[in-house]
Amino acid sequence: MVKKKTCVFISGNGSNLKNLILKSRDYNFPIIIKLIVSNKKHAFGINYAKKNSIPFLVVNTNRRLFENKILLYLKKYKITLICLAGYMRILSKKFLNLYGNKVINIHPSLLPKFKGLNTYSRILKNSEIKTGCTVHYVNEKLDSGNIITKKIFFIDPKDDEKLLKIKTQKKEYLAFPEAIIKIYRNY
Ligand code: GAR
């Protein structure tokens, strides 16, 4: 199988990145991670790039300069899929026009509910019965675009933000790889 060359964008912890790196080692998993991009110099996730000898870039300039620089590297590494894994910036229409439907994002709620920041606190405040995570194609609007897959679980009345995050991220580690497999199933 020819694995699709993939770039992962991060801004923070990188636990989804770590999970995707592990999965990508499976012979049958459709992608190989060739490049990691962070817009934060001290993002913990950069350590996974270093540990696994994957080239990485830190670009913490404004969006236009960031995207122009990234585009050069995406070309250089022949990237055909971009996974946003906790990447907390919106991509421009120009960038998305060039990369079309090759950019996917993971979000810790059942979209279209609870787009944006402070997701867990808003979910709890709203007394939701269930929650989960969503993987979707990216467009120029925040946490929007066609949905690829969702994972759902019921909220326990004892769940606080910390527990909700742990439970949601457990689902994310299943959802992101599953979405990637789904994308390439018919290729
Ligand atoms: C993930 O839970 C992801 O869903 C969320 O950031 C976290 C990153 O965790 N993304 C968003 O909220 C996007 N709007 P990680 O750095 O440990 O993978």
Side-chain angles (χ1 to χ4, degrees), residues 46-129:
I46 293 169
N47 289 313
Y48 299 118
K50 292 179 183 163
K51 238 185 182 165
N52 292 281
S53 308
I54 301 171
F56 69 93
L57 271 178
V58 177
V59 191
N60 53 1
T61 53
N62 69 48
R63 186 169 80 177
R64 193 174 53 82
L65 290 176
F66 171 90
E67 290 184 352
N68 287 342
K69 184 159 182 193
I70 299 304
L71 282 169
L72 295 175
Y73 279 83
L74 295 175
K75 244 190 181 160
K76 179 176 166 196
Y77 286 94
K78 300 189 168 58
I79 300 297
T80 54
L81 179 72
I82 298 172
C83 296
L84 308 185
Y87 176 70
M88 296 307 204
R89 252 184 171 182
I90 291 188
L91 294 164
S92 72
K93 204 169 180 173
K94 181 190 155 208
F95 185 93
L96 291 168
N97 278 342
L98 288 169
Y99 263 81
N101 58 0
K102 295 185 180 74
V103 189
I104 63 174
N105 178 46
I106 189 153
H107 185 74
S109 75
L110 298 174
L111 290 174
K113 285 178 121 178
F114 304 104
K115 298 174 180 181
L117 297 173
N118 307 316
T119 322
Y120 303 116
S121 65
R122 287 187 290 130
I123 288 168
L124 290 173
K125 225 180 190 167
N126 219 43
S127 305
E128 292 292 307
I129 293 167

Side-chain angles (χ1 to χ4, degrees), residues 17-34:
L17 165 66
K18 180 187 176 195
N19 182 54
L20 288 178
I21 293 172
L22 275 175
K23 294 281 171 200
S24 69
R25 292 201 185 122
D26 291 356
Y27 178 76
N28 285 321
F29 196 66
I31 64 159
I32 178 166
I33 298 168
K34 286 283 186 188

